[in-house]
Amino acid sequence: MSVRERKERERAQRHRLIVSTARELAEAQGWDAVTTRRLAAQIEYSQPVLYGHFRGKREIVGAVALEGFAELTTALGSAVAEGPAGREAVAALARAYTGFAADNPALYDAMFSLDNGLPFADEATPAPLREAFGALLDPLVDHAHPDEPGLFVETFWAALHGLVTLTRAGRLPADRVPDRLALLVDRFVPKEGH
């Protein structure tokens, strides 16, 4: 292994360590606890080393968010992989989305609530975001108007996000999440004969 390859590998390892440490801190204590000073102390590198990887907290949040979108894509894909089709797939998708948000609150915040610097619905949108949207689109596309499947999926996603956000904030009782999801699925994918 050349010196250059070794340095690149070490840089990639530091990058992963910064991102994983930021995520752990955020999940344990919230995003306010994630500061460059605290991260530098936690990973035992100087702040200039940290700034050699990220220009600031916003870029760190963005890196965590990118990981989150990859994980969300996996969770959504697993929910509808080889099992249910049609309406049941949409219900499984909704449960997987809300379950992911409930299990990963700080990660979900990095993805959707905090300024992460990532462009959405743009030519520059990173692949993990596009893939996550595709994981929502695929099970819903047959239920959408053929001219506007993206709009249909955006609206379904917005409804899921609203349910997640309001539930997490204590505005909606958490014990009724399954009922809300059933109602949402009924509105987007009506039962046959209705």
Side-chain angles (χ1 to χ4, degrees):
M1 174 183 308
S2 71
V3 171
R4 184 174 149 256
E5 290 171 332
R6 183 181 51 78
K7 286 186 178 194
E8 286 175 7
R9 188 181 70 208
E10 289 170 356
R11 180 173 174 74
Q13 288 171 334
R14 276 194 310 271
H15 182 92
R16 283 191 301 274
L17 178 62
I18 293 166
V19 172
S20 66
T21 303
R23 185 172 170 177
E24 289 167 11
L25 273 172
E27 289 293 353
Q29 299 175 28
W31 279 103
D32 287 342
V34 181
T35 64
T36 54
R37 176 174 290 158
R38 189 147 185 214
L39 275 175
Q42 193 87 5
I43 63 173
E44 299 178 348
Y45 284 105
S46 68
Q47 280 185 286
V49 169
L50 194 101
Y51 284 116
H53 290 269
F54 299 98
R55 287 181 287 202
K57 184 174 177 177
R58 179 182 187 213
E59 286 187 5
I60 295 168
V61 172
V64 170
L66 287 174
E67 280 188 358
F69 282 106
E71 292 174 24
L72 177 61
T73 300
T74 300
L76 296 176
S78 295
V80 296
E82 294 182 29
R87 192 171 189 290
E88 184 52 40
V90 176
L93 189 74
R95 287 189 303 270
Y97 185 96
T98 56
F100 176 87
D103 293 343
N104 304 283
L107 181 59
Y108 190 84
D109 286 345
M111 295 164 64
F112 297 113
S113 300
L114 300 175
D115 180 9
N116 60 28
L118 301 174
F120 285 77
D122 186 271
E123 288 181 19
T125 301
L129 280 71
R130 291 179 187 273
E131 292 161 4
F133 189 77
L136 284 171
L137 178 65
D138 291 345
L140 287 164
V141 73
D142 290 339
H143 306 286
H145 188 281
D147 295 337
E148 294 281 358
L151 184 63
F152 184 83
V153 174
E154 288 170 353
T155 306
F156 185 77
W157 168 44
L160 287 172
H161 177 70
L163 290 173
V164 164
T165 303
L166 292 170
T167 302
R168 282 183 58 202
R171 305 294 195 279
L172 297 174
D175 64 329
R176 299 297 307 268
V177 167
D179 300 323
R180 285 188 202 90
L181 292 181
L183 182 60
L184 178 67
V185 170
D186 284 346
R187 296 298 176 251
F188 277 82
V189 185
K191 295 175 184 171
E192 290 184 27
H194 287 100

